[in-house]
Amino acid sequence: MLMTAFGGLMWLLFTAMLVLAVVALVMAVLYREDAYRAADKQNKGFWLIILGIAVAVNLFVPMLFLQLAGLVATIVFFVDVRPALKQVSGGGWGGRRRGSSSDGPYGPYNGGR
């Protein structure tokens, strides 16, 4: 029974690592190439390769050391690269900006001042 619970816990951890790597890869795809250059965070191709390898290792290679290396790369993307890209591209994926609720068709509404 204890081994079954441990196996279930390990499966849950490996699945979580895979999901995080896939989400990071999708986010890396959605940001524009010039955002990576403006944020001074390698280039888009570098992160796509690193995160793609992390996904592939989690899917096909049952070696804990490689899976942990992929997890480190995923965490670096989420903690360091993504906030810089978000700041450079205006807060949205790929540079889309959302206005405030008081924005009109020609800019922000200032209350008639």
Side-chain angles (χ1 to χ4, degrees), residues 13-99:
L13 287 173
F14 291 142
T15 303
M17 289 187 335
L18 174 64
V19 168
L20 281 174
V22 168
V23 169
L25 181 63
V26 169
M27 287 182 175
V29 167
L30 292 176
Y31 282 104
R32 296 178 5 199
E33 171 69 34
D34 60 342
Y36 287 87
R37 282 180 277 147
D40 198 26
K41 300 291 180 188
Q42 289 294 326
N43 59 15
K44 185 174 184 173
F46 173 83
W47 283 105
L48 292 179
I49 290 170
I50 294 296
L51 294 172
I53 289 172
V55 170
V57 163
N58 280 311
L59 280 174
F60 302 115
V61 182
M63 294 180 67
L64 183 61
F65 176 73
L66 293 176
Q67 290 172 328
L68 290 176
L71 179 64
V72 169
T74 302
I75 290 171
V76 167
F77 181 82
F78 276 121
V79 173
D80 184 38
V81 177
R82 183 174 170 257
L85 293 174
K86 198 172 184 181
Q87 182 180 14
V88 166
S89 58
W93 289 342
R96 294 178 297 208
R97 295 192 105 163
R98 293 191 176 116

Side-chain angles (χ1 to χ4, degrees), residues 1-10:
M1 172 149 158
L2 186 60
M3 290 304 286
T4 305
F6 181 73
L9 178 66
M10 293 306 289

